[in-house]
Amino acid sequence: MIRTLSMPGTTRTPRTSVIALSVLFLVSAAARAQPPAVEEAPTGPVRVETLELEPTVVKTGDLITQRYRLRFPDLVAGGQEIIILEDRVAPEALPVHPFEGVSLSVEKDLVDGEYIWDFVYGFRLVDPNKMTYLLPNFSFYYLVRDLGEEIEDAEVQQVDGGQGLVRYVTSITDEPLLDIRDTIELGAFAGRATFFQTLGWAVAPLPLLLWFVMLLRFARKPKAVSLEKQQEADELARLEAQVPVQPSIWEARRAINRELKTLQDLPSGADPEQLAGYERGMVLALRDYFLADIPELVPGDTSLEMQRHISGLKDSHRREVLGVLAERLVAYQRGLETDGAAPIDSPPLEADVLAGALAKLRPHVRLLNNIKSLVGR
């Protein structure tokens, strides 16, 4: 058996030195591995308390209420004031995806020189996946400015709120119409929808209008007739076309004036042929005038029948004037039927008599005569 003996003072000193050096090396390495001490950031005058949200288990459309309580001191006595920038924490401006802010109410109190503002938000979940979601935190912005200092010169500071967990369990909702903000922007189609709606209202009545037009065309379609009836209708139309159109009273008056002008141009003692031409035209013109002025007469009436009818009218200036014209019509007609023409001693005098009688039949003269007869003159 072999033993190893150590002489005192020879081997213990080196081993102790090695152990001491090893311990010193480990301590220095551990010291280098620790991060440097970081000083805590100074706390601002505004503090945020994030209270519990409710409910923590939601379904589609449920409103999630989250209350943030801001506390900050009243610094007016020290010549300063704190301004909370409320417009930067409006519900629609919050970066809280996959949630959306739908409402906000602010409750403001002042207790023992400290302002307590409660921001009560209403959130709604817009992600359809069933899982647990974390409501992101966001910052509240404020200014600390000296009294009299411009707001633009004050530095904007911020303080962050806390987070909350929400569990989404189902997509069934009790609301009949749910209006939530989707994460996908599909664009605005209000103008296109209005165009197609207007086009639809314009096209909708077209079938009814087409049906109405077809009904009218069917109602106005001529019915089929037999060949005999068609031939009779054609013959009747041909005969009616041969019947001359009865001239109006104004056309008959103009025809009489033309014949009177011819009579005035005739010399005294004109030959029978010239008188016959005048009297033939005057007979036709006077007959047309009587037929137009007296509705009771018919084209088949003779000159004597017209004269007898005129003499049977009630006593008036019109009957007297028509009687003068009817007398000349009978005389001209008899002369043409017997000797070829009735003798006229003085053509200008004859023309003046007929022209005067015709002038008394003008509408305004007849109206004046009727008025005179009403007043008894």
Side-chain angles (χ1 to χ4, degrees):
M1 183 174 183
I2 301 175
R3 296 181 176 178
T4 302
L5 300 178
S6 300
M7 295 300 295
T10 58
T11 59
R12 295 180 61 88
T13 300
R15 293 181 60 186
T16 303
S17 300
V18 171
I19 293 172
L21 289 174
S22 299
V23 171
L24 181 61
F25 177 77
L26 291 174
V27 170
S28 61
R32 288 194 302 270
Q34 293 181 357
V38 179
E39 297 183 359
E40 295 184 358
T43 304
V46 179
R47 291 175 291 113
V48 179
E49 299 177 11
T50 304
L51 306 183
E52 290 295 329
L53 57 81
E54 55 183 23
T56 57
V57 179
V58 299
K59 58 186 177 181
T60 302
D62 286 349
L63 189 65
I64 305 169
T65 303
Q66 176 67 70
R67 183 183 294 266
Y68 299 91
R69 181 166 293 169
L70 272 66
R71 296 177 180 268
F72 55 94
D74 185 4
L75 304 179
V76 176
Q80 292 183 326
E81 66 173 346
I82 297 176
I83 301 176
I84 304 297
L85 303 179
E86 300 182 44
D87 57 337
R88 295 198 179 186
V89 289
E92 61 274 6
L94 296 179
V96 290
H97 180 78
F99 298 83
E100 66 170 349
V102 295
S103 63
L104 170 63
S105 62
V106 183
E107 303 171 1
K108 302 179 181 181
D109 292 321
L110 177 61
V111 180
D112 296 333
E114 183 182 28
Y115 288 101
I116 301 176
W117 288 14
D118 284 358
F119 287 77
V120 184
Y121 283 94
F123 295 103
R124 184 176 289 162
L125 185 63
V126 296
D127 198 321
N129 298 319
K130 299 176 177 61
M131 58 182 293
T132 300
Y133 293 90
L134 181 66
L135 179 63
N137 62 346
F138 54 90
S139 301
F140 291 86
Y141 297 90
Y142 64 94
L143 302 174
V144 180
R145 73 181 186 107
D146 297 332
L147 296 179
E149 182 184 7
E150 296 292 337
I151 295 180
E152 292 78 4
D153 298 335
E155 182 181 357
V156 178
Q157 303 183 35
Q158 69 182 51
V159 58
D160 294 337
Q163 300 174 337
L165 292 177
V166 176
R167 184 183 178 191
Y168 176 66
V169 295
T170 179
S171 60
I172 301 176
T173 174
D174 298 331
E175 298 184 23
L177 180 62
L178 182 62
D179 185 15
I180 63 176
R181 184 175 59 192
D182 198 352
T183 57
I184 301 176
E185 179 63 36
L186 299 178
F189 298 93
R192 190 173 301 177
T194 303
F195 169 75
F196 283 110
Q197 184 178 11
T198 305
L199 183 62
W201 280 107
V203 173
L206 289 182
L208 181 60
L209 180 61
L210 181 62
W211 178 84
F212 184 71
V213 171
M214 295 298 294
L215 181 62
L216 288 180
R217 292 187 60 183
F218 179 77
R220 298 179 60 182
K221 184 178 180 181
K223 297 181 180 180
V225 295
S226 62
L227 181 60
E228 294 77 6
K229 292 185 177 180
Q230 184 64 38
Q231 290 177 352
E232 293 178 0
D234 295 342
E235 183 65 19
L236 181 60
R238 186 182 64 81
L239 294 176
E240 291 179 351
Q242 293 178 357
V243 176
V245 179
Q246 188 66 34
S248 65
I249 189 171
W250 303 105
E251 293 174 346
R253 184 186 294 273
R254 285 195 293 271
I256 293 175
N257 288 327
R258 286 196 299 268
E259 297 300 332
L260 290 177
K261 185 177 180 181
T262 303
L263 179 60
Q264 289 178 349
D265 294 338
L266 290 178
S268 299
D271 58 84
E273 186 178 353
Q274 290 179 338
L275 290 176
Y278 155 72
E279 291 178 0
R280 188 179 301 108
M282 181 59 76
V283 166
L284 295 176
L286 288 175
R287 286 181 59 84
D288 291 339
Y289 184 84
F290 288 154
L291 292 173
D293 194 19
I294 305 174
E296 294 83 2
L297 298 178
V298 294
D301 290 339
T302 63
S303 301
L304 290 175
E305 290 174 343
M306 290 182 178
Q307 186 182 26
R308 283 195 296 267
H309 181 82
I310 292 173
S311 62
L313 297 176
K314 65 179 182 178
D315 190 13
S316 62
H317 293 85
R318 175 170 175 264
R319 190 191 69 173
E320 296 177 0
V321 177
L322 290 176
V324 173
L325 297 178
E327 180 183 356
R328 303 312 302 159
L329 172 63
V330 172
Y332 294 157
Q333 183 73 39
R334 185 181 295 112
L336 292 174
E337 292 175 354
T338 57
D339 300 332
I344 299 177
D345 298 332
S346 176
L349 181 59
E350 182 84 3
D352 292 340
V353 172
L354 294 176
L358 187 64
K360 293 179 181 180
L361 292 175
R362 291 183 177 275
H364 63 280
V365 177
R366 292 170 59 176
L367 178 61
L368 180 61
N369 292 331
N370 292 335
I371 295 175
K372 290 180 179 180
S373 62
L374 290 177
V375 299
R377 294 185 58 185

